[in-house]
Amino acid sequence: MTTKYKGTREAFAAAMLDLAEEVKNLVIVCPDSLKAMRAVEFGEKYPERYVECGIAEQCAVDVASGLATAGVIPFVGTYGGFLTMRACEQMRTFVGYTNQNVKFIGVNGGLIGGEREGVTHQFYEELAIVSSFPNYTIFTPSDPQQCYEACKLAVKTPGPVYIRVASGKEPDIFPEGTPFSASGITVLKEYGNDAVLFSNGFVLDRVLAAADLLKEQGINVTVADINILYGKDPSAILETMAKSNQLFTIEDHNINGGVGSYISRLACEHRPAFVTRIALTTYGESGPAKELADAYGFSPEAIADKVKTTLKK
Amino acid sequence: MTEAELHQIAQKLRLEAVRMVYEGKDGHPGPALSIADIIATLYFDVMRLKPEEPNWPDRDRLILSKGHSCPILYAALNERGFFNPKVEHFHLRELHSKFQGHPSMHNTEGLDMTSGSLGNGIAIGAGMAYAAKITNRDYYTYVITGDGELQEGVCWEGVNMAAGRKLDNLIVFVDRNGWQSYKSVEFTVGHNNIADRFRAFGWYTQEICGHDIKSIRSAIALAKANKGCPSCIVCDDIKGKGVSYMENNNAWHKGVPTDEQFAIAKKELGE
């Protein structure tokens, strides 16, 4: 039975509750983040499987490394930047280099993830950082349902896994029961091959809306969600890339190191094409998620306009 | 094993550590010699180990948080039978060597954790100790840190966490030799009151001479008998202990003996 959830953070907590009986060696490691991770119920139900470390992310990652050496599967959940930046070295040396079976859930990914908290709590760099660490698998779910599935898949994925999550207020896109695509890609719209729009994370609903706007203007595109970044086998992504020589990437992340970099690399190495990257090149600011996303170039209209003007060149 | 026998082993390990650095022409002999007696007592008297099964789940664990001291640990693992055949020349820090510049758990049998970037051993050890509690295993986790190393903030994150989770199966040794890379700990931070600090954080804390096997043994016995909080054993040590020209001479934090110096070390360490 699946625990009910709304938003990505509750999806994480639900997945932990649903996995707990089956995966007896699963624990949650918290740098005072149990509430933020919506996992209080887990902590109350399994007190010894909730490992509190205090407000100390470096310690939490080190503790997780130590736990994993003894066959425990730790999920370290807190703000993505505090993991990947504050505890960057611990993630790299004591989990990545040692190839420990530790899972990370980094919340507040992107402007949309950090929204009104402001720049200290908005993170647009995590994927660039983690993607430079060998041994890591990176999951970027695009809605709560996919986040739930990503957490379940993480348990079956050996070695370090990083899952990028957001605020907990994300729109639902995928129908219940949709697996987390093992090929790293899900094609969601196939209006045509004028361009392929690759997205990841919580701007996906905006990219889908942009595709509809473009269709109304006679531009027919394909939209694909990239849910595994820098995966081992990119063949399914390459197949979709082959549909057009005009590729676009849209992500709520810095322009370096995320899905734009990934698609550019694949284009350079396997299938030359024009790649236009819509992403962040500045820090953000406080604001409601939708207004922020609109203000920083992720409105459906702005995305559609960028595609249209680029194709006209 | 008698105290005299353990002392003999410590001296042998010292010589092997100096030889390793001499042959490899690189490494940290002073910090290695400082902890030889602690390492000898742990690996040859205290720790529950199966060298033929290095990943035995019930083994006691050791994290050398001050990983640059690794020559003494490599020597102990070799002498304890973790490598088959026994190593004659370590090729320390050489390309593709089993003996990396700092400990790497997947390169070297018997290493329970990678280490070397200072500060992380206590928190990682806390994770191992917590794992023992929830998997119903009775192994102990030992950590060796330096006194200079305790300037790293993450040490105190781990100290907090271990106290908060009441990890009485975690025993931390602090190698208080008073020195760090450039100058003394006293010069660097104005104090070296480690025992006071650990006590203030709620740890059961003892202060001993880290070169006295009897004291090391009894401190470990008391630490094991202590329940409800983690243990710290502050060891007053001499950096470079056992080799006259290295003792308390911080030039040997990192350094390679000449042929003449190595001959003196061999003589002083009883070969």
Side-chain angles (χ1 to χ4, degrees):
Chain A
M1 205 186 80
T2 305
T3 302
K4 293 257 178 279
Y5 57 84
K6 185 162 175 52
T8 50
R9 296 196 196 183
E10 286 185 17
F12 157 73
M16 294 299 101
L17 283 168
D18 293 348
L19 284 163
E21 288 305 318
E22 181 192 340
V23 186
K24 298 281 185 199
N25 53 346
L26 177 153
V27 303
I28 300 182
V29 177
C30 288
D32 194 24
S33 51
L34 195 69
K35 202 167 75 178
M37 298 306 295
R38 313 288 189 263
V40 170
E41 188 183 340
F42 182 98
E44 285 172 352
K45 196 169 174 188
Y46 305 103
E48 65 175 22
R49 292 165 69 180
Y50 143 56
V51 188
E52 182 56 70
C53 295
I55 308 168
E57 290 78 14
Q58 298 174 59
C59 174
V61 177
D62 278 346
V63 164
S65 171
L67 287 164
T69 64
V72 173
I73 305 177
F75 275 72
V76 190
T78 191
Y79 296 82
F82 303 160
L83 287 170
T84 60
M85 291 186 265
R86 181 79 60 104
C88 181
E89 188 208 3
Q90 285 76 17
M91 287 185 67
R92 178 255 192 194
T93 302
F94 299 107
V95 176
Y97 176 43
T98 55
N99 202 13
Q100 301 292 349
N101 196 24
V102 178
K103 319 302 172 191
F104 296 94
I105 313 294
V107 303
N108 278 30
L111 289 165
I112 292 172
E115 45 148 2
R116 304 189 76 167
E117 305 285 346
V119 175
T120 59
H121 288 61
Q122 295 168 345
F123 302 108
Y124 354 89
E125 305 88 356
E126 329 95 279
L127 301 176
I129 295 165
V130 180
S131 64
S132 67
F133 300 157
N135 294 337
Y136 272 82
T137 301
I138 304 173
F139 291 164
T140 55
S142 294
D143 86 342
Q145 188 275 340
Q146 286 286 284
C147 177
Y148 178 87
E149 296 294 332
C151 292
K152 289 191 121 177
L153 186 60
V155 171
K156 295 180 188 155
T157 306
V161 177
Y162 185 82
I163 305 177
R164 190 182 200 227
V165 173
S167 66
K169 300 173 190 164
E170 305 77 9
D172 296 309
I173 295 170
F174 289 82
E176 198 177 325
T178 310
F180 196 70
S181 171
S183 65
I185 183 169
T186 304
V187 176
L188 290 136
K189 280 195 194 292
E190 290 188 281
Y191 291 146
N193 297 332
D194 292 338
V196 182
L197 278 51
F198 293 98
S199 179
N200 75 356
F202 308 102
V203 289
L204 180 60
D205 59 319
R206 293 163 170 268
V207 179
L208 293 169
D212 288 337
L213 290 175
L214 287 163
K215 187 166 187 271
E216 286 166 15
Q217 298 168 56
I219 297 169
N220 296 308
V221 302
T222 292
V223 177
D225 176 46
I226 301 294
N227 62 311
I228 302 174
L229 210 54
Y230 302 100
K232 288 191 182 83
D233 177 11
S235 53
I237 299 172
L238 291 171
E239 274 177 37
T240 303
M241 286 171 66
K243 289 163 75 85
S244 176
N245 68 350
Q246 286 287 351
L247 310 179
F248 292 81
T249 61
I250 304 97
E251 58 188 321
D252 185 3
H253 186 274
N254 186 271
I255 197 162
N256 295 309
V259 72
S261 291
Y262 183 33
I263 296 298
S264 299
R265 173 172 136 188
L266 292 177
C268 283
E269 292 179 355
H270 300 278
R271 196 173 291 283
F274 294 98
V275 181
T276 303
R277 295 176 290 169
I278 301 173
L280 296 169
T281 55
T282 65
Y283 296 103
E285 61 186 292
S286 289
K290 287 180 181 168
E291 291 175 29
L292 263 178
D294 288 347
Y296 282 76
F298 299 113
S299 69
E301 294 75 14
I303 296 166
D305 190 54
K306 182 73 179 174
V307 173
K308 193 174 161 186
T309 52
T310 305
L311 293 182
K312 272 188 183 166
K313 278 182 190 168
Chain B
M1 200 169 272
T2 68
E3 285 158 28
E5 286 169 330
L6 285 169
H7 173 71
Q8 282 309 313
I9 289 173
Q11 291 295 88
K12 186 171 186 186
L13 300 184
R14 283 188 165 99
L15 180 56
E16 285 305 295
V18 174
R19 189 197 307 280
M20 213 180 292
V21 173
Y22 168 72
E23 290 181 352
K25 300 292 176 238
D26 198 12
H28 297 79
L33 299 185
S34 188
I35 58 167
D37 304 291
I38 302 166
I39 288 282
T41 307
L42 285 171
Y43 275 88
F44 292 85
D45 187 56
V46 173
M47 286 172 72
R48 188 171 67 194
L49 299 166
K50 280 188 187 174
E52 69 284 4
E53 192 185 340
N55 296 323
W56 179 41
D58 287 315
R59 74 194 184 281
D60 289 336
R61 272 76 164 163
L62 179 125
I63 302 171
L64 185 60
S65 195
K66 44 173 293 179
H68 55 286
S69 306
C70 57
I72 202 77
L73 180 54
Y74 294 156
L77 293 173
N78 191 35
E79 203 59 32
R80 192 69 173 77
F82 278 87
F83 313 129
N84 187 19
K86 196 172 174 184
V87 173
E88 287 185 29
H89 299 285
F90 284 82
H91 301 285
L92 181 70
R93 297 181 163 225
E94 289 178 16
L95 185 64
H96 305 317
S97 172
K98 186 195 285 279
F99 303 101
Q100 294 286 294
H102 290 83
S104 171
M105 65 189 290
H106 296 308
N107 289 68
T108 315
E109 302 89 332
L111 286 182
D112 295 307
M113 181 44 65
T114 294
S115 63
S117 70
L118 295 178
N120 295 285
I122 297 174
I124 298 172
M128 291 182 182
Y130 193 97
K133 299 259 183 195
I134 60 170
T135 56
N136 296 314
R137 297 193 188 274
D138 64 352
Y139 64 79
Y140 278 86
T141 301
Y142 299 95
V143 178
I144 302 177
T145 81
D147 48 358
E149 177 176 8
L150 293 174
Q151 290 154 25
E152 290 281 5
V154 66
C155 292
W156 301 99
E157 295 185 3
V159 167
N160 264 333
M161 187 276 178
R165 306 280 70 79
K166 302 181 177 14
L167 299 177
D168 50 19
N169 52 354
L170 175 67
I171 300 174
V172 170
F173 292 86
V174 180
D175 170 34
R176 181 163 62 183
N177 62 36
W179 294 101
Q180 51 196 93
S181 174
Y182 175 44
K183 281 193 175 181
S184 70
V185 174
E186 192 84 26
F187 163 80
T188 310
V189 291
H191 57 74
N192 205 357
N193 57 343
I194 290 161
D196 291 348
R197 281 186 277 157
F198 271 87
R199 284 191 189 108
F201 277 78
W203 283 51
Y204 173 60
T205 305
Q206 306 173 67
E207 290 179 273
I208 63 166
C209 167
H211 302 306
D212 180 41
I213 305 280
K214 188 177 176 186
S215 298
I216 298 169
R217 276 175 147 175
S218 65
I220 293 169
L222 284 170
K224 285 185 167 181
N226 163 66
K227 298 295 168 205
C229 69
S231 272
C232 174
I233 302 173
V234 181
C235 300
D236 281 320
D237 292 330
I238 294 168
K239 197 164 179 174
K241 171 75 175 175
V243 177
S244 55
Y245 57 85
M246 290 190 190
E247 285 194 3
N248 256 325
N249 178 356
N250 207 38
W252 289 97
H253 176 78
K254 193 175 188 208
V256 180
T258 61
D259 294 348
E260 294 74 27
Q261 286 170 327
F262 182 56
I264 295 168
K266 281 201 287 189
K267 194 174 167 198
E268 292 180 350
L269 293 169
E271 188 178 80

